Amino acid sequence: MPVAAVVFAVLAALLHVAIFAMESVLWTRPAVYRRFGVASDADAATTKPLAFNQGFYNLFLAVGIIVGVVIGGTAGLTLVVFGCSCIVAAAAVLASTGRAYFRAASTQALFAVIALVLLAVL
């Protein structure tokens, strides 16, 4: 895999580890849940199980990308492409839910899109 593509794939993975931490570990902190559009402690408590589960999806995508980078070869490339593609697809779903989510979706997808483009052209 080209080094530039690996760098952006790893950045995508690290971002998703951070999202995992926010959703699955730090969710009930006001600074965190407000970032996701949750308005109150009560709403954060209600949505905590959902956020916890969603955070693990992000973690699993990140782990898949990192494992792919580490093992390399065809299997590694396949894992990296799959993980980055899932991130981009999830960002598209988020963006489709309304204009208010476009910035978050763009942030979520950026590194993965760059990695995929670099993998395609290099």
Side-chain angles (χ1 to χ4, degrees):
M1 282 181 274
V3 172
V6 168
V7 167
F8 282 100
V10 169
L11 287 172
L14 292 174
L15 174 62
H16 282 73
V17 169
I19 294 169
F20 156 76
M22 288 187 285
E23 291 175 339
S24 295
V25 179
L26 306 171
W27 184 252
T28 54
R29 293 184 182 185
V32 173
Y33 66 69
R34 286 187 186 127
R35 177 173 283 218
F36 290 86
V38 175
S40 69
D41 287 340
D43 290 343
T46 299
T47 58
K48 185 177 179 179
L50 175 68
F52 183 78
N53 183 281
Q54 185 170 308
F56 274 91
Y57 277 88
N58 286 301
L59 179 64
F60 298 149
L61 288 173
V63 168
I65 291 169
I66 297 300
V67 168
V69 167
V70 169
I71 67 172
T74 302
L77 175 63
T78 302
L79 283 171
V80 169
V81 169
F82 179 77
C84 288
S85 297
C86 286
I87 288 171
V88 173
V93 170
L94 180 59
S96 76
T97 61
R99 292 178 60 181
Y101 298 102
F102 187 75
R103 181 176 178 199
S106 299
T107 300
Q108 176 181 321
L110 181 63
F111 295 138
V113 167
I114 294 170
L116 290 170
V117 168
L118 290 171
L119 286 168
V121 300
L122 296 181

